[in-house]
Every structure is written in C-alpha cells, then in structure tokens.
Amino acid sequence: MRTLSVLTLSLALFTACQSQPTVKKMGITIPQESTQLIKVTTTNWSTKDGTLQRYERVNEHWQKVGEPINIILGRNGLGWGVGLHATPKDAKYVKKEGDGKAPAGLFSLGNGFGYQDFHIDFPYSAYKRTDHCVDDSRSQWYNQIIDSTKVAKDYKSFEHMKLKSDEYKYGITVNHNPKQVANAGSCIFIHIKNRKGKGTAGCTAMRENEIVEVLKWLKGNAKPLLLQLPKEEMSKKIADDSLK
C-alpha cells in the first residue's frame, strides 16, 4: 500500500513537471537579408565608453572586418530603444527623449550624411545649416530630418544638421523610433566624437578617419544593421556564437 502511494505520488509529480509551460528565451534575431553588421559593446548599462566591431555574413557565419574601434556613447550610458527587437517587459533601462542615453537593441541604418558630397555605395545626403532634425515631441516632424525652408515650422527644439563644429562632418543616421513615438527618443546618429571625448546626447561617436572608413565599407544592398548592447545582454540575447 505504501509502495503504491509513493509510486502514485511520483507519477503525479512527473506529470506536473511535464505539463509546465516551456519558457522561451527572448532573443534578438538578425534578419537573413542583412549581410553587414556594426556591433557596439559596452561593459555595463551606465558607461559612456564602448567598442565597435564590424562584421560581414559569409556562408551563414559572421566574420570580423577591420580592427575594433573605441567609441563614445550617451553620457548616461544605454537604454532599450525602439528598433528591430522586442524590449524586455522587465527592462530597467529604457531610452527616453533627452535622457542622455544611447539606444540599446538592433536597428537598421538610414543614410550616410555630411557637410559635402561623398560618393559611396550607401545612400548619402549632404546637409545644410537649414536642415533640421526635430526633437520636439509635439511636432509633426518629430524624429525626422527636414528642410526648414520648405515646411511649416511647428517645433521649438531641433538640431542643425550642419554644425559649427566637425561632429556632423560625417555621420550615419540610425533608424531608432521610426514610427516617431512621442518622447521615445529622436535624432540618433553615428558621428565624429568631440575633441574632449565627452559623452553624447545619445549618439555613437568615433574619430573622423574611423567613420570615413565605416562609410566607405557600407553597402546599401547589404542592408546593414547596428547591434548595440552591454556585454551581459549581448551574451543573453544573441545566440550566434560568431558574434560573441
């Protein structure tokens, strides 16, 4: 009788264990059509310093391109942005407008830009002082680069796309918050870092010769992406060992 009871209990426990739902690890999937990737890694969520490594997909595996580049990020580190990934429901750090954080996650790249024409194999725009990137959440032009001479100006806050400094002499737009969700963050670029090495307002910055090299490497038909995460999250979210 006792043996039967133990057996019955064991079977019940086994059945209960088997019936528990499988918890699927939430990861980041890199689209197959993308064959170029810029990976930016930081030591933690709060640092402004990181490392950039370029990759190309060859025979379903990612191969490193060039040497690592030391970069500067948002002055307050990273926060989950809005891109090609799902933000964890329990995310502690989430990107907001004006928070001084660079967006974490996976993002497509928009176009290269600068102060003068530059012939490369990636979409490129030469911007003028009157070209503005709008960071006023109340504007219909929020998180868009517009020619201020051709639109009705309904915004109070914006960035000149041609600065008095060289920081935007060469740059790349990042498709963060593409649906212009209010207060989710705007005007995210990869560009030249300032001379003092200070953290940015939310962009990723490097030396001029380094970003010129990146721009020359980018190919429009490769559909390049930016993957930007702290090391711990990178190991959790990315299953592909060739990116670790």
Side-chain angles (χ1 to χ4, degrees):
M1 186 72 176
R2 182 180 177 184
T3 303
L4 181 59
S5 298
V6 171
L7 178 59
T8 302
L9 178 60
S10 298
L11 286 171
L13 288 172
F14 176 76
T15 302
C17 289
Q18 289 294 95
S19 64
Q20 293 299 312
T22 301
V23 179
K24 186 176 181 180
K25 180 180 177 181
M26 182 181 290
I28 294 177
T29 301
I30 299 173
Q32 282 294 319
E33 61 267 24
S34 293
T35 57
Q36 286 187 324
L37 179 72
I38 295 173
K39 187 182 82 168
V40 172
T41 312
T42 63
T43 55
N44 54 54
W45 285 99
S46 60
T47 184
K48 66 177 179 59
D49 301 298
T51 302
L52 181 151
Q53 178 66 59
R54 290 177 288 154
Y55 289 84
E56 290 182 352
R57 197 198 297 267
V58 180
N59 297 326
E60 300 304 316
H61 293 284
W62 291 99
Q63 294 184 359
K64 291 182 179 180
V65 175
E67 296 298 318
I69 296 173
N70 294 324
I71 53 88
I72 299 292
L73 286 164
R75 60 181 178 272
N76 294 321
L78 288 165
W80 283 104
V82 183
L84 303 176
H85 57 276
T87 299
K89 293 181 180 180
D90 60 347
K92 184 177 179 181
Y93 306 98
V94 178
K95 170 70 183 166
K96 299 293 183 184
E97 185 66 47
D99 62 1
K101 294 181 183 294
L106 182 68
F107 311 91
S108 60
L109 299 179
N111 61 276
F113 66 86
Y115 297 166
Q116 58 189 5
D117 290 337
F118 189 42
H119 299 290
I120 54 176
D121 292 329
F122 190 67
Y124 183 89
S125 297
Y127 289 132
K128 310 179 296 299
R129 183 77 176 167
T130 52
D131 291 318
H132 298 167
C133 187
V134 180
D135 54 17
D136 184 342
S137 289
R138 296 166 294 182
S139 169
Q140 64 179 314
W141 311 114
Y142 177 59
N143 197 29
Q144 298 178 63
I145 297 172
I146 50 96
D147 183 341
S148 64
T149 66
K150 296 180 179 180
V151 302
K153 189 176 179 181
D154 65 347
Y155 52 90
K156 295 182 179 180
S157 180
F158 66 93
E159 289 188 49
H160 290 287
M161 291 307 298
K162 187 172 185 179
L163 304 175
K164 294 180 180 179
S165 68
D166 284 343
E167 289 174 47
Y168 287 0
K169 182 180 177 181
Y170 293 105
I172 305 163
T173 62
V174 178
N175 291 328
H176 168 261
N177 190 19
K179 294 183 179 180
Q180 292 88 42
V181 177
N183 295 311
S186 62
C187 306
I188 301 299
F189 312 126
I190 300 172
H191 62 73
I192 299 170
K193 63 183 178 181
N194 61 58
R195 294 180 180 179
K196 296 182 179 180
K198 292 183 178 180
T200 70
C203 297
T204 300
M206 63 192 77
R207 294 185 300 181
E208 180 177 334
N209 66 305
E210 293 168 333
I211 195 164
V212 168
E213 182 179 350
V214 172
L215 280 165
K216 289 180 177 179
W217 168 72
L218 290 174
K219 301 289 185 291
N221 60 8
K223 299 185 178 179
L225 303 171
L226 170 66
L227 175 65
Q228 196 159 253
L229 289 170
K231 287 182 180 178
E232 183 179 358
E233 289 295 329
M234 193 74 73
S235 62
K236 289 179 183 178
K237 304 297 183 184
I238 304 300
D240 193 331
D241 290 336
S242 62
L243 285 174
K244 296 180 180 179

